[in-house]
Amino acid sequence: MAAVLQEMPRFRSGDLVEVASRKEGFEGSYFEATVVEQLAGGGKFIVEYKTLLRNDFSGPLTEEAPVEEMRPRPPKVAAANFGMYDVVDAFDNDGWWVGKVTGWVGNKYYVYFERTGDEIMYPKSRVRVHQEMVFGANGKWVCLYSL
């Protein structure tokens, strides 16, 4: 089977993105940001985070992000309810974290995070459908209910 080459998305100043952290302890997380500028060579960008602050709390954190860790912000997908083991993103610690639904009570969902072994309850307003982008000439978002 031949490998499919996927074209990386092109970003411009002002684009709304999410940055997937590969730093230890932050794997499986996405942080909302805005592209400030593209650096020479095209492989890195300066981004300003929406929810992350500088160490001195003087304003939003701005840093370099490699294009491989960036994606456009996913479209909002309405979900009436989530089912058992649906893959979701839960908003916590200033970002979206990938997990699986392991139960619910009313409009609150238990989400299990495989990387940490934690199971935390979130109100529905802090849980969204997990989506991955399929890159190519016409990038498309795919909702993943299971991994």
Side-chain angles (χ1 to χ4, degrees), residues 5-9 133-142:
L5 293 177
Q6 297 183 340
E7 182 180 322
M8 297 301 288
M133 183 166 207
V134 177
F135 297 113
N138 296 315
K140 295 180 181 177
W141 285 98
V142 177

Side-chain angles (χ1 to χ4, degrees), residues 80-82 101 103-104 107-111 120-122 124 127:
N81 294 300
F82 296 105
V101 172
W104 57 88
N107 269 347
K108 294 183 179 181
Y109 291 89
Y110 286 99
V111 179
I120 302 172
M121 180 181 267
Y122 295 96
K124 185 177 179 181
V127 180

Side-chain angles (χ1 to χ4, degrees), residues 59-120:
L61 176 64
T62 302
E63 69 177 5
E64 288 184 18
V67 70
E68 300 85 34
E69 294 180 14
M70 297 170 57
R71 68 182 195 175
R73 284 204 195 152
K76 292 187 188 271
V77 174
N81 294 300
F82 296 105
M84 197 67 147
Y85 306 117
D86 281 352
V87 178
V88 297
D89 298 330
F91 191 80
D92 202 344
N93 293 324
D94 299 318
W96 292 99
W97 298 77
V98 180
K100 288 186 179 183
V101 172
T102 54
W104 57 88
V105 176
N107 269 347
K108 294 183 179 181
Y109 291 89
Y110 286 99
V111 179
Y112 175 75
F113 302 97
E114 190 172 314
R115 293 182 191 272
T116 63
D118 294 326
E119 182 180 50
I120 302 172

